[in-house]
Amino acid sequence: MIITIGSYKGGTGKSTIATNLAAEFHHRGAKVILIEADPIVGTSSQWAADREENGYDTIPVVRKTGRLKKTLEDFAKTYNVVLVDAPGKDSIELRSAAVVSDLLVVPTAPTGPDLDSTRGFLASMDEARDINEDLKILVTISQASTNYRSNFLKTTEDSLSEVPEEFALADTVIYYRTIYSQAIAAGLSVTETENKKARNEIKTLTNEIAELLENPDLIIDLKNEQEN
């Protein structure tokens, strides 16, 4: 399955989500590759280099820009999960990845400017859907404040309610936690740390994605795992 993480705005946590999903799918037994498609930012590539230097399990990260359709189709023949860390803007990389992806994960902070950008992004996806009718879109709240009491899901749902493009809103909220930046700097996923809250966020999001893409082999029993 091909999963692209993208939006029209930087700073939404795309690389954080991409690297954490890559590691979590890897630990669930999938053969994973992560494509870094941003010609300027190299967060995922640096994460992979740090991971190798620190002696953790190798997860291949390939830097590829320009048109991605053929590249992704070729990788999908070899890997169970192909993840694309797309640029935080409208780009040929994002558009070409969307037309062959099974799922487009759209991270957004639950703030006015970010939700405005997300509305515009979702409305523009009709072109990709014209070519790829099976494309699913999952909006994921990220960078949410842990100190501000708010119903992030309701706020986001209301803000995006008039978007004509069909999408799902993830039940999982990814909160702003320092462990995310600490883990990525060490070449780790938060699921490889002792931070239970962050670990649960990524594991729950991974389950949601596997369920949405109807891949039961990649779904784990989180209740049983937490009890053990």
Side-chain angles (χ1 to χ4, degrees), residues 16-53:
T16 296
I17 289 175
T19 53
N20 276 278
L21 287 177
E24 180 59 15
F25 276 124
H26 167 75
H27 287 303
R28 295 188 186 193
K31 189 175 183 182
V32 180
I33 189 168
L34 174 56
I35 312 301
E36 181 160 64
D38 193 320
I40 299 174
V41 179
T43 306
S44 291
S45 295
Q46 186 60 53
W47 173 78
D50 291 336
R51 189 173 182 85
E52 182 176 357
E53 182 178 342

Short mmCIF file of all heavy atoms in Angstrom, two decimals, residues 16-53:
data_model
loop_
_atom_site.label_atom_id
_atom_site.label_comp_id
_atom_site.label_asym_id
_atom_site.label_seq_id
_atom_site.Cartn_x
_atom_site.Cartn_y
_atom_site.Cartn_z
N THR A 16 7.47 13.96 11.08
CA THR A 16 7.34 13.26 12.36
C THR A 16 6.38 12.09 12.21
O THR A 16 6.65 10.97 12.65
CB THR A 16 6.83 14.22 13.45
OG1 THR A 16 7.81 15.24 13.66
CG2 THR A 16 6.57 13.48 14.75
N ILE A 17 5.24 12.33 11.57
CA ILE A 17 4.27 11.26 11.37
C ILE A 17 4.82 10.20 10.42
O ILE A 17 4.68 9.00 10.65
CB ILE A 17 2.94 11.84 10.85
CG1 ILE A 17 2.25 12.62 11.98
CG2 ILE A 17 2.02 10.73 10.34
CD1 ILE A 17 0.98 13.33 11.56
N ALA A 18 5.49 10.64 9.35
CA ALA A 18 6.03 9.69 8.37
C ALA A 18 7.06 8.75 8.99
O ALA A 18 7.01 7.53 8.79
CB ALA A 18 6.64 10.46 7.20
N THR A 19 8.00 9.28 9.75
CA THR A 19 9.04 8.44 10.34
C THR A 19 8.47 7.53 11.42
O THR A 19 8.88 6.37 11.52
CB THR A 19 10.18 9.30 10.92
OG1 THR A 19 9.63 10.29 11.82
CG2 THR A 19 10.94 10.03 9.82
N ASN A 20 7.53 8.05 12.20
CA ASN A 20 6.93 7.21 13.25
C ASN A 20 6.09 6.09 12.66
O ASN A 20 6.11 4.95 13.15
CB ASN A 20 6.11 8.06 14.20
CG ASN A 20 6.95 8.71 15.28
OD1 ASN A 20 7.26 8.08 16.29
ND2 ASN A 20 7.36 9.95 15.06
N LEU A 21 5.35 6.38 11.59
CA LEU A 21 4.58 5.32 10.93
C LEU A 21 5.52 4.29 10.31
O LEU A 21 5.25 3.08 10.37
CB LEU A 21 3.68 5.92 9.85
CG LEU A 21 2.45 6.70 10.32
CD1 LEU A 21 1.72 7.29 9.11
CD2 LEU A 21 1.50 5.84 11.14
N ALA A 22 6.60 4.75 9.71
CA ALA A 22 7.56 3.82 9.09
C ALA A 22 8.09 2.83 10.12
O ALA A 22 8.13 1.62 9.87
CB ALA A 22 8.71 4.61 8.46
N ALA A 23 8.49 3.34 11.27
CA ALA A 23 9.03 2.46 12.31
C ALA A 23 7.97 1.52 12.87
O ALA A 23 8.22 0.34 13.10
CB ALA A 23 9.65 3.30 13.43
N GLU A 24 6.76 2.04 13.08
CA GLU A 24 5.71 1.21 13.66
C GLU A 24 5.26 0.12 12.70
O GLU A 24 5.08 -1.04 13.09
CB GLU A 24 4.52 2.07 14.09
CG GLU A 24 3.37 1.30 14.72
CD GLU A 24 3.73 0.51 15.97
OE1 GLU A 24 4.81 0.76 16.57
OE2 GLU A 24 2.93 -0.37 16.36
N PHE A 25 5.09 0.44 11.42
CA PHE A 25 4.75 -0.59 10.44
C PHE A 25 5.87 -1.62 10.34
O PHE A 25 5.61 -2.83 10.20
CB PHE A 25 4.48 0.03 9.07
CG PHE A 25 3.09 0.55 8.88
CD1 PHE A 25 2.85 1.87 8.52
CD2 PHE A 25 1.98 -0.29 9.04
CE1 PHE A 25 1.56 2.35 8.33
CE2 PHE A 25 0.68 0.17 8.85
CZ PHE A 25 0.48 1.50 8.51
N HIS A 26 7.11 -1.17 10.43
CA HIS A 26 8.26 -2.08 10.41
C HIS A 26 8.19 -3.07 11.57
O HIS A 26 8.38 -4.28 11.40
CB HIS A 26 9.56 -1.26 10.48
CG HIS A 26 10.79 -2.07 10.77
ND1 HIS A 26 11.39 -2.88 9.83
CD2 HIS A 26 11.52 -2.21 11.91
CE1 HIS A 26 12.45 -3.46 10.37
NE2 HIS A 26 12.54 -3.07 11.63
N HIS A 27 7.88 -2.57 12.76
CA HIS A 27 7.81 -3.44 13.93
C HIS A 27 6.61 -4.38 13.89
O HIS A 27 6.59 -5.39 14.59
CB HIS A 27 7.77 -2.60 15.21
CG HIS A 27 9.10 -1.96 15.54
ND1 HIS A 27 10.26 -2.69 15.71
CD2 HIS A 27 9.45 -0.66 15.70
CE1 HIS A 27 11.26 -1.87 15.97
NE2 HIS A 27 10.80 -0.64 15.98
N ARG A 28 5.64 -4.06 13.06
CA ARG A 28 4.48 -4.96 12.89
C ARG A 28 4.72 -6.00 11.80
O ARG A 28 3.82 -6.76 11.46
CB ARG A 28 3.23 -4.15 12.59
CG ARG A 28 2.82 -3.24 13.76
CD ARG A 28 1.48 -2.58 13.54
NE ARG A 28 1.21 -1.61 14.62
CZ ARG A 28 0.03 -1.06 14.86
NH1 ARG A 28 -1.00 -1.37 14.10
NH2 ARG A 28 -0.12 -0.20 15.86
N GLY A 29 5.92 -6.03 11.27
CA GLY A 29 6.28 -7.07 10.32
C GLY A 29 6.18 -6.70 8.86
O GLY A 29 6.39 -7.55 7.98
N ALA A 30 5.84 -5.45 8.56
CA ALA A 30 5.73 -5.03 7.17
C ALA A 30 7.11 -4.68 6.62
O ALA A 30 8.00 -4.24 7.35
CB ALA A 30 4.81 -3.82 7.05
N LYS A 31 7.29 -4.89 5.33
CA LYS A 31 8.48 -4.45 4.64
C LYS A 31 8.22 -3.02 4.19
O LYS A 31 7.35 -2.75 3.37
CB LYS A 31 8.78 -5.35 3.44
CG LYS A 31 10.13 -5.09 2.79
CD LYS A 31 10.42 -6.10 1.69
CE LYS A 31 11.81 -5.86 1.10
NZ LYS A 31 12.09 -6.81 -0.02
N VAL A 32 8.96 -2.07 4.76
CA VAL A 32 8.65 -0.65 4.64
C VAL A 32 9.76 0.12 3.94
O VAL A 32 10.95 -0.15 4.16
CB VAL A 32 8.42 -0.03 6.04
CG1 VAL A 32 8.09 1.45 5.94
CG2 VAL A 32 7.33 -0.77 6.80
N ILE A 33 9.37 1.09 3.13
CA ILE A 33 10.32 2.07 2.60
C ILE A 33 9.68 3.45 2.72
O ILE A 33 8.47 3.61 2.55
CB ILE A 33 10.72 1.76 1.14
CG1 ILE A 33 11.88 2.68 0.71
CG2 ILE A 33 9.53 1.88 0.19
CD1 ILE A 33 12.53 2.26 -0.60
N LEU A 34 10.51 4.43 3.04
CA LEU A 34 10.05 5.81 3.18
C LEU A 34 10.71 6.66 2.10
O LEU A 34 11.94 6.65 1.96
CB LEU A 34 10.41 6.34 4.58
CG LEU A 34 10.14 7.82 4.89
CD1 LEU A 34 8.70 8.19 4.65
CD2 LEU A 34 10.55 8.14 6.33
N ILE A 35 9.91 7.36 1.32
CA ILE A 35 10.40 8.23 0.26
C ILE A 35 10.38 9.67 0.75
O ILE A 35 9.32 10.20 1.10
CB ILE A 35 9.54 8.14 -1.01
CG1 ILE A 35 9.28 6.68 -1.39
CG2 ILE A 35 10.20 8.91 -2.16
CD1 ILE A 35 10.50 5.85 -1.64
N GLU A 36 11.54 10.30 0.81
CA GLU A 36 11.59 11.71 1.16
C GLU A 36 11.51 12.50 -0.14
O GLU A 36 12.43 12.49 -0.95
CB GLU A 36 12.87 12.06 1.91
CG GLU A 36 12.93 13.52 2.31
CD GLU A 36 13.90 13.75 3.44
OE1 GLU A 36 15.10 13.52 3.23
OE2 GLU A 36 13.48 14.16 4.53
N ALA A 37 10.39 13.19 -0.33
CA ALA A 37 10.13 13.85 -1.61
C ALA A 37 10.29 15.36 -1.55
O ALA A 37 9.97 16.05 -2.52
CB ALA A 37 8.71 13.51 -2.07
N ASP A 38 10.80 15.87 -0.45
CA ASP A 38 11.00 17.31 -0.33
C ASP A 38 12.40 17.66 -0.83
O ASP A 38 13.39 17.16 -0.29
CB ASP A 38 10.84 17.74 1.14
CG ASP A 38 10.72 19.24 1.30
OD1 ASP A 38 11.43 19.98 0.59
OD2 ASP A 38 9.91 19.68 2.12
N PRO A 39 12.52 18.50 -1.87
CA PRO A 39 13.84 18.81 -2.42
C PRO A 39 14.69 19.70 -1.52
O PRO A 39 15.89 19.86 -1.76
CB PRO A 39 13.51 19.53 -3.74
CG PRO A 39 12.15 20.11 -3.52
CD PRO A 39 11.43 19.14 -2.63
N ILE A 40 14.08 20.27 -0.49
CA ILE A 40 14.82 21.21 0.38
C ILE A 40 15.05 20.63 1.78
O ILE A 40 16.17 20.59 2.28
CB ILE A 40 14.06 22.55 0.48
CG1 ILE A 40 13.94 23.19 -0.91
CG2 ILE A 40 14.77 23.50 1.45
CD1 ILE A 40 13.09 24.44 -0.94
N VAL A 41 13.98 20.18 2.40
CA VAL A 41 14.06 19.67 3.78
C VAL A 41 14.51 18.21 3.77
O VAL A 41 14.04 17.42 2.94
CB VAL A 41 12.71 19.81 4.50
CG1 VAL A 41 12.78 19.27 5.92
CG2 VAL A 41 12.26 21.27 4.50
N GLY A 42 15.40 17.85 4.69
CA GLY A 42 15.92 16.48 4.71
C GLY A 42 15.71 15.77 6.04
O GLY A 42 16.55 14.96 6.46
N THR A 43 14.60 16.04 6.70
CA THR A 43 14.35 15.49 8.04
C THR A 43 14.34 13.96 8.04
O THR A 43 14.98 13.32 8.90
CB THR A 43 13.02 16.01 8.60
OG1 THR A 43 13.01 17.43 8.56
CG2 THR A 43 12.81 15.53 10.03
N SER A 44 13.63 13.36 7.12
CA SER A 44 13.52 11.89 7.10
C SER A 44 14.86 11.23 6.78
O SER A 44 15.21 10.20 7.35
CB SER A 44 12.45 11.45 6.09
OG SER A 44 11.17 11.83 6.54
N SER A 45 15.60 11.81 5.84
CA SER A 45 16.92 11.27 5.50
C SER A 45 17.87 11.34 6.69
O SER A 45 18.63 10.40 6.96
CB SER A 45 17.52 12.02 4.31
OG SER A 45 16.75 11.84 3.15
N GLN A 46 17.83 12.46 7.40
CA GLN A 46 18.70 12.60 8.58
C GLN A 46 18.28 11.62 9.66
O GLN A 46 19.12 11.04 10.35
CB GLN A 46 18.63 14.04 9.11
CG GLN A 46 19.60 14.32 10.25
CD GLN A 46 21.04 14.11 9.85
OE1 GLN A 46 21.51 14.67 8.86
NE2 GLN A 46 21.77 13.27 10.61
N TRP A 47 16.98 11.42 9.82
CA TRP A 47 16.47 10.44 10.78
C TRP A 47 17.02 9.05 10.47
O TRP A 47 17.48 8.34 11.37
CB TRP A 47 14.95 10.43 10.74
CG TRP A 47 14.28 9.37 11.55
CD1 TRP A 47 14.08 9.36 12.91
CD2 TRP A 47 13.70 8.15 11.06
NE1 TRP A 47 13.42 8.22 13.30
CE2 TRP A 47 13.17 7.45 12.18
CE3 TRP A 47 13.57 7.59 9.80
CZ2 TRP A 47 12.54 6.21 12.06
CZ3 TRP A 47 12.94 6.35 9.68
CH2 TRP A 47 12.42 5.68 10.79
N ALA A 48 17.00 8.67 9.20
CA ALA A 48 17.50 7.35 8.81
C ALA A 48 19.00 7.23 9.06
O ALA A 48 19.49 6.19 9.51
CB ALA A 48 17.19 7.10 7.34
N ALA A 49 19.74 8.32 8.79
CA ALA A 49 21.19 8.31 9.02
C ALA A 49 21.49 8.18 10.51
O ALA A 49 22.38 7.42 10.92
CB ALA A 49 21.81 9.58 8.45
N ASP A 50 20.76 8.93 11.33
CA ASP A 50 20.95 8.84 12.78
C ASP A 50 20.57 7.46 13.30
O ASP A 50 21.22 6.93 14.20
CB ASP A 50 20.10 9.91 13.49
CG ASP A 50 20.61 11.32 13.22
OD1 ASP A 50 21.79 11.47 12.90
OD2 ASP A 50 19.79 12.26 13.31
N ARG A 51 19.53 6.90 12.73
CA ARG A 51 19.09 5.57 13.13
C ARG A 51 20.18 4.54 12.87
O ARG A 51 20.48 3.71 13.71
CB ARG A 51 17.80 5.22 12.36
CG ARG A 51 17.11 3.97 12.85
CD ARG A 51 15.76 3.77 12.17
NE ARG A 51 15.14 2.57 12.71
CZ ARG A 51 14.41 2.52 13.81
NH1 ARG A 51 14.20 3.63 14.49
NH2 ARG A 51 13.89 1.39 14.24
N GLU A 52 20.77 4.61 11.68
CA GLU A 52 21.83 3.67 11.33
C GLU A 52 23.06 3.88 12.21
O GLU A 52 23.66 2.92 12.71
CB GLU A 52 22.21 3.85 9.86
CG GLU A 52 23.28 2.88 9.38
CD GLU A 52 23.57 3.01 7.92
OE1 GLU A 52 22.90 3.83 7.23
OE2 GLU A 52 24.48 2.33 7.42
N GLU A 53 23.42 5.13 12.42
CA GLU A 53 24.60 5.44 13.23
C GLU A 53 24.44 4.95 14.67
O GLU A 53 25.41 4.50 15.29
CB GLU A 53 24.85 6.95 13.22
CG GLU A 53 26.09 7.38 14.00
CD GLU A 53 26.34 8.87 13.93
OE1 GLU A 53 25.78 9.52 13.02
OE2 GLU A 53 27.09 9.37 14.79
#
